[in-house]
Amino acid sequence: MKKILSFLTIGIIVLSGCATATGGYEFDGACDSAEPVIGFVTDAGGVNDKSFNQGTWEGIEKYCADNQVGATYVETADSSQLRDNLDLVASTEGIEVVVASGFVFANDLYSSAVSNPDTNYILIDAEPTNPETGEVEKLDNVKSYYFNEQDAGYLVGYIAGSMTESNRVGFIGGLEIPPVQRFGYGFIQGVNESNPEATIDYQYAGTFDDANTGNTIAETMIGQGTDIIFVSAGSTNDGVLKAAIDNTVTGNKVSVIGVDRDMYNEGLYVDENGTEQSVILTSAIKIVGEAAIEGLESHFSGNFTAGTTTLGYEDGGIGLPESNPNVDQKLIEEAKQSLADKETVSVNKEDIESTIKVSINGKY
């Protein structure tokens, strides 16, 4: 294992690919097989957020394993460090391409890319945005990826509406930003399609890295009768999972729908019969790792093209896990057909709130 390098002047730590990340997730070490040519910068959720940061790094690891290249990552402790971390990675000897995943990178990655024109950047869930004008600008060294999260939200919403026993379901998002909103708006429409009588509790935690806040919101929803909660809140999801597990093991069954990656293993618990179960009903998968791989392939093949690509259900950018032990396959197929039959899944907040009864932060 390569030694850990500490950059105390800006309060960050650069870790090699074989390191054990915060929270105990053991990476496979594929990116430590060679000197790093790829650099990854996380947001405050960290590389072990069980969400899009972790999914992106897992994609990078797969690329490392398949192509015998090395990579390293930087975990950002505070949003004020984003620009410094991006510049640090871009200026590190040997690094050819920088990957960042998250809406919060839009301004800082723009500035870093302008300052480092010879380094290519792969930006997931955002586009380079000029911090002075607030306008998105195409840069020759930035390739962006977006996803139709509303389609994945619709699929799991349809399943939740069909499976709720209390006729009350919930959504807990992190920050109220477009990717999270799209998941939530799709979820609302999916629930309404399969069960228009269901009550939908919809709330933002205001953070991607506060498990206690997630736990508090979830416990409140559960106390009101919510029995299925869709989460899209980074490591804040941990608190929601804890609430679901705590309630389930004491006889009040609560299910959680994961996000970005298959979260089944994160929801494991042992029931009264000593059998291992999971509170994860299914997950709305956004295959951020594949976006990272596609971007890396374009760079290392010499075919890097700037601009924005949007990945959706039809081209495999989003979907459901291959294995859904807690959902009947017939219902999954029904949800997929419902999505196929729908002309569009709206991402317009006003349209949704005017046509569907939703409790937004406890208010109808």
Side-chain angles (χ1 to χ4, degrees):
M1 181 183 294
K2 295 175 185 175
K3 69 179 181 179
I4 298 173
L5 304 176
S6 178
F7 293 79
L8 298 178
T9 55
I10 53 177
I12 63 174
I13 297 176
V14 179
L15 301 169
S16 67
C18 66
T20 300
T22 304
Y25 181 86
E26 186 75 32
F27 296 120
D28 65 18
C31 292
D32 198 46
S33 61
E35 288 301 314
V37 291
I38 303 164
F40 175 48
V41 180
T42 80
D43 65 9
V47 76
N48 190 40
D49 66 351
K50 302 183 181 71
S51 189
F52 56 87
N53 283 309
Q54 184 170 321
T56 302
W57 180 251
E58 288 170 352
I60 295 171
E61 281 195 313
K62 185 176 186 301
Y63 186 85
C64 288
D66 291 344
N67 296 276
Q68 291 77 55
V69 298
T72 189
Y73 63 80
V74 175
E75 290 188 297
T76 302
D78 183 86
S79 61
S80 64
Q81 299 173 352
L82 291 174
R83 170 67 191 281
D84 287 336
N85 289 356
L86 289 164
D87 285 345
L88 172 69
V89 173
S91 62
T92 298
E93 184 178 357
I95 297 295
E96 298 182 22
V97 57
V98 178
V99 183
S101 188
F103 185 82
V104 295
F105 282 98
N107 291 341
D108 291 300
L109 190 138
Y110 172 93
S111 301
S112 184
V114 169
S115 298
N116 298 279
D118 295 329
T119 301
N120 283 335
Y121 291 74
I122 298 167
L123 178 57
I124 299 172
D125 265 358
E127 292 175 286
T129 303
N130 189 323
E132 295 183 2
T133 65
E135 298 294 324
V136 172
E137 294 184 17
K138 180 179 179 180
L139 300 178
D140 291 340
N141 58 334
V142 180
K143 186 175 185 67
S144 292
Y145 288 91
Y146 278 128
F147 296 82
N148 289 332
E149 292 93 349
Q150 65 271 21
D151 292 348
Y154 182 93
L155 289 173
V156 298
Y158 191 98
I159 291 169
S162 300
M163 294 187 66
T164 177
E165 296 180 4
S166 66
N167 219 32
R168 189 174 189 125
V169 300
F171 171 81
I172 300 176
L175 295 175
E176 192 172 358
I177 58 176
V180 178
Q181 290 172 317
R182 290 193 290 268
F183 271 129
Y185 296 164
F187 178 74
I188 291 169
Q189 291 165 87
V191 172
N192 189 65
E193 184 68 27
S194 65
N195 186 357
E197 300 304 316
T199 296
I200 305 170
D201 296 318
Y202 189 101
Q203 189 162 344
Y204 293 100
T207 176
F208 285 120
D209 59 357
D210 187 344
N212 288 333
T213 296
N215 186 263
T216 298
I217 296 172
E219 288 286 5
T220 299
M221 285 187 177
I222 294 166
Q224 295 170 341
T226 299
D227 65 349
I228 298 176
I229 302 174
F230 176 29
V231 293
S232 180
S235 56
T236 301
N237 296 344
D238 292 347
V240 182
L241 285 168
K242 183 179 186 304
I245 292 171
D246 288 348
N247 277 270
T248 297
V249 298
T250 56
N252 181 28
K253 182 181 178 183
V254 178
S255 296
V256 174
I257 295 172
V259 74
D260 291 334
R261 51 190 296 277
D262 186 355
M263 290 175 56
Y264 185 86
N265 288 338
E266 274 74 58
L268 292 174
Y269 69 96
V270 177
D271 68 15
E272 59 185 7
N273 298 316
T275 303
E276 192 172 64
Q277 307 277 3
S278 178
V279 296
I280 295 294
L281 192 64
T282 185
S283 297
I285 292 181
K286 183 166 68 174
I287 311 176
V288 291
E290 291 301 317
I293 290 170
E294 182 180 295
L296 292 170
E297 287 176 343
S298 71
H299 168 80
F300 288 105
S301 67
N303 297 313
F304 187 90
T305 54
T308 301
T309 299
T310 299
L311 303 174
Y313 174 70
E314 292 184 355
D315 51 26
I318 60 94
L320 301 174
E322 292 183 9
S323 175
N324 295 264
N326 292 328
V327 183
D328 187 276
Q329 185 61 36
K330 290 182 180 179
L331 177 57
I332 292 172
E333 295 306 319
E334 185 180 315
K336 291 179 178 178
Q337 186 59 54
S338 178
L339 176 62
D341 291 342
K342 198 169 183 63
E343 289 186 8
T344 183
V345 179
S346 177
V347 293
N348 187 295
K349 180 179 180 180
E350 287 72 25
D351 288 347
I352 295 166
E353 290 184 359
S354 66
T355 59
I356 302 172
K357 185 180 179 182
V358 185
S359 171
I360 306 294
N361 292 336
K363 297 179 180 179
Y364 285 98

